[in-house]
Amino acid sequence: MTTIRIDKMPAETYHAKPHLSKSGMSELLRSPAHYQAWMKSQNQQTPAMAFGTLAHTATLEPDVFSWKYVEQPDDIDFRTKAGKEWKAAIEFDSKIAVKSADYQAALGIRNAVMRSPVGPMLKKGATEVSYFNESPVPLKARVDHIDGERIIDIKTTTDATERAFMRTVSNFKYHLQAAHYMALTGTTEFIFVAVETDPPYAVGLYWLDDAWIAEGQRLRDRAIQIYQECSQVDAWPAYSVGFRKLSMPAWAVDSTTEE
């Protein structure tokens, strides 16, 4: 079935769609029960998620950022008349007040990304594009930025060094995301923009080799298979309840211990 592309779909509309996303796939690979629990609570936004949205908007949609968010002064007191009037004015304009530190950090991230080699790339193409496909199961993806055969995805992080980001890719299954997005959009290039959330807002630009993408595709196929099997019988189990022996891996050995 043909993939449908929708530009500028509101984020809340996209997230309300029950289609299987990369985040859902990650939960399924943990266990179907975790996926079901996540589906019921995915609208609960953590402070880290809220800041990520703020930084994404500042970088990818600066016009939206300017009318949607406003910097909240550090010294404002909402118990005073002036404070109450400021809050009322913000609410009247339907703006979201953001603590000054977070607001300035979002601007710092935006400036750092736009000064990097990826900056000119972001001035072309489209941002916040949603994709949907109904086969083999209902699938979806929301792309940060796309231009022809290239996808650019921004990741805020505490450490954008190559070594640290490789661990982040593994821990958060970003290779699954790259494989899923490329499969759904038909693109051939996926660039990660890793940008740190503290000054100097250092940026690392990365793409994954064929081995990473192949493993991401394998995980994607497995997640889709699990979804199909669980949907057919309407059963979403958690971990196996059998007893299993854990063998000690090499990385668990403390190499700093001296005899």
Side-chain angles (χ1 to χ4, degrees):
M1 185 173 290
T2 303
T3 297
I4 298 174
R5 167 176 168 163
I6 303 178
D7 288 48
K8 300 300 181 181
M9 171 182 279
E12 56 270 21
T13 302
Y14 168 83
H15 291 299
K17 299 290 185 181
H19 295 58
L20 183 60
S21 65
K22 177 271 171 182
S23 296
M25 290 178 181
S26 295
E27 295 295 333
L28 273 171
L29 292 168
R30 186 177 180 186
S31 89
H34 285 86
Y35 170 74
Q36 286 288 291
W38 172 80
M39 284 291 290
K40 295 176 182 178
S41 63
Q42 62 173 317
N43 292 327
Q44 298 177 5
Q45 194 175 57
T46 65
M49 293 169 61
F51 179 76
T53 299
L54 180 72
H56 272 71
T57 305
T59 306
L60 299 170
E61 300 178 290
D63 292 339
V64 174
F65 180 82
S66 64
W67 63 254
K68 186 174 182 178
Y69 297 100
V70 63
E71 183 176 8
Q72 178 179 311
D74 290 331
D75 59 353
I76 195 166
D77 186 346
F78 293 117
R79 296 170 299 179
T80 66
K81 180 180 178 181
K84 292 177 180 178
E85 290 177 346
W86 186 90
K87 183 178 180 180
I90 296 305
E91 293 176 346
F92 180 81
D93 291 335
S94 299
K95 289 180 176 290
I96 298 175
V98 179
K99 292 182 178 180
S100 182
D102 288 343
Y103 191 92
Q104 290 301 321
L107 292 179
I109 287 171
R110 180 184 71 188
N111 294 338
V113 171
M114 297 309 294
R115 285 195 302 266
S116 76
V118 85
M121 301 178 187
L122 293 174
K123 295 180 180 180
K124 301 182 293 181
T127 60
E128 302 297 347
V129 184
S130 301
Y131 291 83
F132 299 91
N133 196 313
E134 304 298 329
S135 178
V137 300
L139 300 170
K140 68 179 180 180
R142 188 169 175 87
V143 177
D144 281 357
H145 183 277
I146 185 168
D147 182 22
E149 294 293 309
R150 178 191 297 130
I151 289 176
I152 297 175
D153 191 83
I154 297 176
K155 299 295 188 188
T156 52
T157 181
T158 57
D159 189 342
T161 60
E162 182 175 340
R163 181 176 181 179
F165 193 68
M166 279 196 292
R167 292 186 178 183
T168 301
V169 169
S170 179
N171 291 340
F172 290 95
K173 293 183 172 60
Y174 287 165
H175 52 314
L176 167 59
Q177 179 191 4
H180 176 55
Y181 281 27
M182 288 193 290
L184 208 56
T185 63
T187 52
T188 58
E189 184 178 357
F190 193 107
I191 295 175
F192 287 105
V193 181
V195 54
E196 295 177 356
T197 54
D198 292 312
Y201 309 108
V203 175
L205 305 179
Y206 306 108
W207 69 87
L208 305 180
D209 66 13
D210 293 342
W212 272 114
I213 299 300
E215 176 60 11
Q217 184 61 55
R218 187 190 70 81
L219 293 176
R220 180 178 187 265
D221 292 342
R222 177 57 182 152
I224 291 174
Q225 180 185 2
I226 294 172
Y227 182 92
Q228 288 176 309
E229 293 173 351
C230 291
S231 297
Q232 288 172 359
V233 297
D234 193 24
W236 305 84
Y239 306 134
S240 169
V241 294
F243 294 98
R244 289 181 292 179
K245 179 186 292 186
L246 296 180
S247 299
M248 185 175 182
W251 54 261
V253 177
D254 187 352
S255 61
T256 63
T257 301
E258 297 182 358
E259 295 184 359

